[in-house]
Amino acid sequence: MPERELMLRFIRWSAVSLILVLAVVWIGVWTLGSHPQASAPGGVLGSGVQVGGPFKLTDSAGKPVTDADYRGRWMLVYFGYTFCPDVCPTELQAMASGLHLLGPMADKVVPIFVTIDPERDTPQAMGEYVKLFDDRLVGLTGTAQEIADIAREYRVYYAKVESKAASSYLMDHSSFMYLMGPDGRLQMLIKPGSTGQEIANDIRSRLAAS
Ligand code: NI
C-alpha cells in the first residue's frame, strides 16, 4: 500500500475516533447534568449521583408500602438481612441507641430496615427481627425485583456468598445509613461503624438545620 494512502487512512481513523470520544464525553455530561431534581424524591451527591427514590415494598404485617407513605417525616434507612452474623446487628443496635438518645425528636424520624435477602426475609421474619432492637423500627421486604430496584436507587451493593454448607449462605452488602428528608431526598449518608451518639448528633444537626 502506498505511503500516502496509509497516511490518509490514519487521518480518517483518527478523526472518527475523536468524534466518538467527544460524543461519549458529551453524553456523560448531559446525563449527569439533567436529572429531574426538582420533583423526584432522592438526593444528589456532589458528584451528581442520584441517591434514593421511589420504592414499593411490603411491611412486616404483609401490607404494601411506598416511599410516599413516609413523606413528611424523615427516614433513617439501613439495608441488611436478618441472618447477618455481625455487621447488621451492630448497626441496628447503634441505630436504636441513636433513636433513644434523640428523645422526643425521634418522633420525626422513621427508622427503616430494608432486607437485601428477600429469599429468606419474609414479612414475619422482618417483624420479629426488628423488634429485637427497637419497637419503632420498620422492617421492609419485597420481591427480588423490588429489592433490586430500591438497592439500585440507593446505590446499595449486595451479593450472595455461597458457603460450604449447602443449606445456608451469607450476603455481602454495603453498610451506610441514609438520612432522607421529609421530601424524600437524601440529607446525609451516615458512615458504617458510627456510634449511637454520632448517629443522634448527625440527625439532630440535620433536623435543626431544616
Ligand atoms: Ni449485614
Side-chain angles (χ1 to χ4, degrees):
M1 200 183 289
E3 201 177 307
R4 205 181 120 86
E5 193 178 329
L6 259 182
M7 180 66 90
L8 278 175
R9 238 178 226 214
F10 175 73
I11 289 170
R12 217 175 295 137
W13 186 86
S14 301
V16 169
S17 302
L18 185 64
I19 287 167
L20 278 177
V21 168
L22 285 174
V24 167
V25 168
W26 183 80
I27 288 169
V29 169
W30 181 80
T31 308
L32 287 177
S34 68
H35 283 295
Q37 295 164 0
S39 57
V44 176
L45 291 181
S47 58
V49 175
Q50 179 97 12
V51 175
F55 59 78
K56 185 182 152 293
L57 296 169
T58 303
D59 72 11
S60 57
K63 286 193 296 192
V65 291
T66 73
D67 58 296
D69 294 327
Y70 302 112
R71 205 53 39 77
R73 295 179 73 193
W74 294 65
M75 298 189 292
L76 182 62
V77 190
Y78 182 72
F79 294 82
Y81 67 117
T82 68
F83 283 77
C84 185
D86 39 34
V87 177
C88 293
T90 306
E91 295 292 324
L92 292 175
Q93 195 59 56
M95 190 191 256
S97 156
L99 290 171
H100 178 74
L101 290 166
L102 275 178
M105 201 182 240
D107 293 346
K108 295 183 177 171
V109 183
V110 189
I112 300 175
F113 181 51
V114 181
T115 185
I116 42 77
D117 184 16
E119 194 178 318
R120 292 183 294 192
D121 286 338
T122 60
Q124 192 191 349
M126 291 298 284
E128 287 166 8
Y129 187 71
V130 295
K131 274 197 189 69
L132 299 174
F133 300 93
D134 194 297
D135 280 339
R136 292 167 286 188
L137 190 48
V138 175
L140 299 181
T141 185
T143 64
Q145 185 60 56
E146 287 165 348
I147 297 300
D149 289 345
I150 188 174
R152 192 182 55 250
E153 288 183 336
Y154 278 76
R155 314 279 159 182
V156 172
Y157 159 78
Y158 67 104
K160 193 186 268 195
V161 182
E162 297 291 352
S163 73
K164 291 195 182 78
S167 60
S168 74
Y169 58 88
L170 295 174
M171 298 294 293
D172 212 4
H173 64 93
S174 53
S175 194
F176 282 94
M177 262 176 228
Y178 302 78
L179 181 62
M180 313 300 287
D183 56 359
R185 294 164 66 95
L186 179 72
Q187 287 288 327
M188 181 183 264
L189 275 178
I190 299 175
K191 66 175 186 300
S194 296
T195 63
Q197 189 64 63
E198 287 166 339
I199 293 168
N201 290 346
D202 282 345
I203 294 175
R204 196 173 282 128
S205 69
R206 277 295 152 150
L207 262 67
S210 73

